[in-house]
Amino acid sequence: MRRARWYNNGKDRQGAENKGMSFNRIRKIPTAEEIKKELPLAADIALIKQRRDDELRAVFRGADSRFVLVIGPCSADSEEPVLEYIGRLAKVQQRVADVLLLVPRIYTNKPRTTGEGYKGMVHQPDPEKAADLSAGIKAIRRLHIKALTEFGMPAADEMLYPENFAYLSDVLGYHAVGARSVENQLHRLTASGVDAPVGMKNPTSGDISVMLNAIYAAQLPHRFIYSGWGGGGPGNPYAHAVLRGAVDSNGHCLPNYHFETLIGLAQAYRDMGLANPAIVVDTNHANSQKRFEEQPRIAHEVLHSRRYDSTLTKMVKGLMIESYLLPGRQEIGGNARGCSITDPCLGWEETERLILDIAERV
């Protein structure tokens, strides 16, 4: 195989530091400090976020009995429809505030199983144009700030690239470590330094021990290299389990939201002595076999299990639900505003009914 050299603006760059590297150096990305200075979070909005953060941590600590819904589009592909969705969500939050805490999904980094396809707003702020990482980082920060400023709702994002967390550390309210990342050491170490709840998903194999080991690691203090610094995380007591289903060696989906799995995970939590034991169930992905319309049924079954057993009442803290303005999905370039370009989602009408129904059942 022909080896490419390290390039800088199209010119060969010599030097021992580049020996053996096969990357193209295209454009230097602004640092997190530079981006935060350019796009700051206003002090009054930071106070609103702090109050909301305190509420969410209280749920995972067991001091607040409200049920959490991490809910929204599979991917945040365009600012305008995402903000419209969050605006609708904010109105529903006011109606269910006594029993539910809604955390909007603004997922700007998308894992791709084969490496092909749309990788999220951080790569392509416009899905129909070429990748622009510098513009993408600014776009995702701007979107998260607008969600906070306009609606007072800190959002969730997936920690797909641990170093990108630094660009959003002051605006995010919830973090998810995905099924393909949960066994990665840097994700676990970075989670130890995050002061917000971090949901560790089970791997695609369904091996619960991998997820529990990730939670254990994230709850410990560590020293490690991060973004050019040697430092450490003090340990995150709010790292917790997210069940998203599994896929077997034949490609068949294996759900893990049923009562027996929840009870088994609760026992495993006790056996390991982890802090603030908590379970969140992802109602889509392998749990629904990507049949998005099954999400309400799955939510109802989880709520039934939660009511049936007092241990699960305390330990099952919430659900992840994928929904957008319109149901289903479309290809990039489709003209259906507010319809997912990645995994299919519930539409808004079904979403609103589901939220209100959950509020009646918790």
Side-chain angles (χ1 to χ4, degrees):
M1 178 182 294
R2 183 177 63 86
R3 179 178 295 277
R5 292 185 180 179
W6 183 273
Y7 288 94
N8 183 18
N9 297 326
K11 298 179 181 179
D12 287 351
R13 179 168 180 169
Q14 306 298 323
E17 80 245 35
N18 297 329
K19 185 177 181 181
M21 301 188 77
S22 302
F23 302 127
N24 290 331
R25 178 176 289 182
I26 300 171
R27 184 179 180 185
K28 183 173 176 57
I29 303 296
T31 66
E33 291 77 13
E34 291 168 339
I35 293 293
K36 288 177 176 178
K37 184 176 181 180
E38 181 178 345
L39 298 169
L41 183 66
D44 59 331
I45 304 302
L47 289 175
I48 294 173
K49 179 183 182 296
Q50 181 178 335
R51 288 195 294 270
R52 189 76 169 182
D53 288 348
D54 290 342
E55 292 177 344
L56 188 59
R57 283 192 289 261
V59 171
F60 282 96
R61 194 169 61 247
D64 187 327
S65 63
R66 283 182 290 178
F67 195 66
V68 174
L69 299 184
V70 181
I71 185 167
C74 174
S75 58
D77 55 356
S78 180
E79 180 180 289
E80 185 181 351
V82 169
L83 289 175
E84 180 179 335
Y85 177 92
I86 297 174
R88 296 184 186 186
L89 202 65
K91 292 178 181 178
V92 179
Q93 173 68 97
Q94 294 176 359
R95 299 170 61 183
V96 299
D98 57 335
V99 290
L100 298 181
L101 196 58
L102 308 182
V103 181
R105 287 172 56 109
I106 301 181
Y107 275 38
T108 59
N109 307 265
K110 297 303 299 178
R112 303 285 82 184
T113 301
T114 63
E116 294 181 309
Y118 176 64
K119 296 181 178 67
M121 186 180 285
V122 73
H123 282 261
Q124 293 172 267
D126 185 333
E128 297 186 56
K129 294 182 180 179
D132 187 336
L133 294 169
S134 292
I137 287 172
K138 294 177 184 180
I140 67 174
R141 181 167 174 82
R142 190 178 298 113
L143 177 53
H144 277 283
I145 289 175
K146 285 186 176 181
L148 269 171
T149 303
E150 296 179 20
F151 308 111
M153 300 186 79
D157 205 341
E158 181 170 357
M159 195 187 300
L160 183 59
Y161 309 105
E163 288 200 0
N164 287 1
F165 165 70
Y167 293 93
L168 302 174
S169 60
D170 57 335
V171 296
L172 285 178
Y174 182 95
H175 311 265
V177 175
R180 299 165 186 83
S181 304
V182 71
E183 203 164 4
N184 180 276
Q185 185 79 342
L186 184 55
H187 282 85
R188 295 178 175 191
L189 300 181
T190 303
S192 76
V194 174
D195 62 2
V198 176
M200 298 287 195
K201 289 194 172 186
N202 64 262
T204 54
S205 68
D207 188 339
I208 297 300
S209 67
V210 170
M211 176 182 67
L212 290 170
N213 287 336
I215 297 168
Y216 184 86
Q219 292 190 357
L220 293 176
H222 298 282
R223 297 292 297 273
F224 56 98
I225 298 171
Y226 183 81
S227 193
W229 288 84
N236 184 348
Y238 303 107
H240 61 274
V242 178
L243 296 175
R244 50 88 69 200
V247 181
D248 68 16
S249 59
N250 295 314
H252 300 137
C253 291
L254 305 173
N256 59 9
Y257 61 86
H258 297 308
F259 178 81
E260 293 79 9
T261 301
L262 297 175
I263 286 293
L265 179 54
Q267 182 61 52
Y269 249 120
R270 285 193 292 267
D271 292 344
M272 292 187 71
L274 296 167
N276 301 318
I279 301 169
V280 172
V281 176
D282 182 343
T283 61
N284 212 13
H285 297 101
N287 271 331
S288 70
Q289 301 184 64
K290 292 198 175 183
R291 295 200 293 261
F292 70 95
E293 66 277 5
E294 294 293 316
Q295 293 184 95
R297 177 189 61 78
I298 294 168
H300 293 156
E301 180 175 329
V302 173
L303 292 174
H304 176 74
S305 297
R306 189 174 181 265
R307 292 193 305 271
Y308 182 78
D309 186 272
S310 60
T311 298
L312 298 184
T313 303
K314 296 178 180 178
M315 195 172 294
V316 178
K317 303 289 189 182
L319 300 170
M320 286 187 174
I321 299 169
E322 291 192 325
S323 77
Y324 208 176
L325 299 179
L326 297 177
R329 71 172 302 276
Q330 63 182 336
E331 296 299 324
I332 293 175
N335 58 6
R337 179 178 171 276
C339 185
S340 177
I341 59 172
T342 46
D343 287 350
C345 298
L346 293 175
W348 175 253
E349 291 182 4
E350 182 68 17
T351 297
E352 185 175 28
R353 284 196 298 269
L354 178 58
I355 295 171
L356 297 177
D357 190 34
I358 291 171
E360 291 290 330
R361 293 171 183 254
V362 294

